[in-house]
Each structure stands twice: as structure tokens, then as C-alpha cells.
């Protein structure tokens, strides 16, 4: 109920930003406004995640990780990524039950099978619903390599083991700080 309430409140409050972002994405590049990508959810069930498209159509066929000044960004893409506006459509994923507000970040299906073979205990992060934000997102920089994934896994497993209202509250506070002060990529 908390996730659904937060998602509905967020969608209502962000509706002007949603409209402006949708117009900006459509006006500055070809292709759909919303990017859909299959991610791995709780109990390793795949689902489609929704984001505002920040890269050129077909970019997912290129590099697996996003570089800091990636040439695949659309004219508005780098801005909506930096400000996290591209993430707002994930509130619809919360309403569908695919995501929680807080939990380990849902990873791209194409990467998960590889991670599960390389990193012991990786599968434990799928024992909870993935989140729009999480302990790894607020404590570690943007993941751009397998080494970063391993580091973030430690934070995700800490969250899975120690999940509590107080930890969730601290994640929310750190997320607000991250968004307001433009931390991360």
C-alpha cells in the first residue's frame, strides 16, 4: 500500500514534468517517448521497465554500460538522465506490481544470467521486489563495469538482509539529496 500510495502521489506531483519531458523527448529525437526494456524482477521473473527514452533508437544493441559522455544520448537525454526525470515512468511499474519504491535495482535480463554465473549469491538480490531506488544507488556511483556490479551487489545484499523502515527512510532521504543536488550520472 505504501508503494502504491507513493507512486500515485508521485505521478500526481510529477504530472507537469511528465508532460514536459514527453514533449521534449518527442521534439528532439525520432522514436517512441517511452523506452521499454526487459528487466529481472522478484523471483527472477522478467518484466518490462518504463523510462523516458534518453538514447537514440537502437542504442541498447551497442555497449552494455552507459559511459559518462555517451554519444548515444539524444539532445535532451543527458539532461533527463542527470536529473533522473527519465526514471519517473517507473512509477507505473510500481502500480503494476513489478517494482517497489525501494529495493535492489532491476537489472537488464541480458546481463543477469552472466552475473549469476560470475558472482556468488547474486541471485539473492531477487528475493525481494526490485526498486526505483535502493541502498546501492545512494551509496555507490553509477555502475559502468562488472567490477562496479560486484561492488553494488554488496550493498544490495546488505539491503536484502537488513531491510527495515529506518533503512528505507534513510534511502528516501539520500535519494532526495541525490536528485536535488545532481549527484551520480
Amino acid at each position: 500500500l505504501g508503494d502504491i500510495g507513493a507512486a500515485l502521489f508521485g505521478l500526481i506531483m510529477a504530472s507537469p514534468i511528465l508532460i514536459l519531458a514527453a514533449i521534449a523527448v518527442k521534439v528532439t529525437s525520432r522514436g517512441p517517448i517511452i523506452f521499454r526494456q526487459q528487466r529481472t524482477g522478484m523471483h527472477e521473473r522478467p518484466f518490462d521497465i518504463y523510462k523516458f527514452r534518453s538514447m537514440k533508437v537502437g542504442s541498447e544493441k551497442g555497449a552494455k554500460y552507459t559511459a559518462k559522455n555517451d554519444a548515444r544520448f539524444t539532445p535532451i537525454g543527458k539532461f533527463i538522465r542527470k536529473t533522473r526525470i527519465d526514471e519517473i515512468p517507473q512509477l507505473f511499474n510500481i502500480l503494476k506490481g513489478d517494482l517497489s519504491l525501494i529495493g535492489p535495482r532491476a537489472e537488464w535480463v541480458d546481463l543477469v544470467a552472466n552475473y549469476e554465473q560470475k558472482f556468488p549469491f547474486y541471485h539473492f538480490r531477487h528475493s525481494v521486489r526490485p526498486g526505483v531506488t535502493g541502498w546501492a544507488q545512494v551509496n555507490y556511483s553509477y555502475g559502468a563495469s562488472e567490477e562496479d556490479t560486484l561492488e553494488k551487489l554488496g550493498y544490495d545484499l546488505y539491503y536484502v538482509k537488513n531491510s527495515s523502515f529506518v533503512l528505507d527512510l534513510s534511502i528516501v532521504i539520500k535519494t532526495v539529496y541525490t536528485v536535488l543536488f545532481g549527484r551520480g550520472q
Side-chain angles (χ1 to χ4, degrees):
L1 282 174
D3 281 340
I4 291 170
L8 288 172
F9 179 76
L11 285 168
I12 291 167
M13 296 305 291
S15 59
I17 296 169
L18 282 167
I19 293 166
L20 290 172
I23 292 168
V25 169
K26 192 63 179 172
V27 169
T28 61
S29 63
R30 286 181 22 256
I33 295 167
I34 299 294
F35 173 74
R36 293 170 56 166
Q37 185 181 61
Q38 201 164 66
R39 299 285 179 101
T40 302
M42 188 163 76
H43 305 303
E44 299 186 22
R45 289 189 188 108
F47 71 95
D48 284 341
I49 201 165
Y50 308 125
K51 294 177 134 195
F52 281 121
R53 187 173 49 78
S54 62
M55 293 189 165
K56 298 170 187 159
V57 173
S59 293
E60 69 277 5
K61 294 177 180 87
K64 299 273 188 225
Y65 300 102
T66 305
K68 189 168 186 159
N69 291 313
D70 206 306
R72 300 174 295 168
F73 283 121
T74 64
I76 195 74
K78 193 170 187 178
F79 173 76
I80 65 172
R81 245 326 152 90
K82 182 76 172 168
T83 58
R84 307 298 199 283
I85 291 170
D86 68 319
E87 310 265 348
I88 297 172
Q90 291 177 46
L91 296 174
F92 290 106
N93 286 111
I94 292 174
L95 295 178
K96 285 179 57 184
D98 298 327
L99 288 177
S100 181
L101 186 61
I102 300 167
R105 192 85 168 126
E107 289 288 352
W108 190 15
V109 169
D110 292 359
L111 296 174
V112 169
N114 179 43
Y115 291 161
E116 286 185 347
Q117 289 191 356
K118 283 189 171 187
F119 306 131
F121 310 112
Y122 187 85
H123 64 282
F124 283 119
R125 65 189 306 280
H126 298 122
S127 62
V128 297
R129 196 175 313 278
V132 175
T133 187
W135 192 237
Q137 282 69 44
V138 298
N139 285 299
Y140 195 77
S141 63
Y142 190 83
S145 68
E146 287 186 350
E147 292 77 22
D148 289 340
T149 300
L150 183 58
E151 188 71 29
K152 289 182 105 171
L153 176 60
Y155 288 102
D156 288 338
L157 295 178
Y158 176 88
Y159 178 79
V160 169
K161 183 179 178 192
N162 299 292
S163 181
S164 67
F165 177 77
V166 173
L167 183 57
D168 285 357
L169 185 60
S170 73
I171 292 168
V172 168
I173 291 167
K174 285 183 168 202
T175 299
V176 170
Y177 176 83
T178 298
V179 171
L180 289 179
F181 296 103
R183 303 281 184 211
Q185 186 169 338

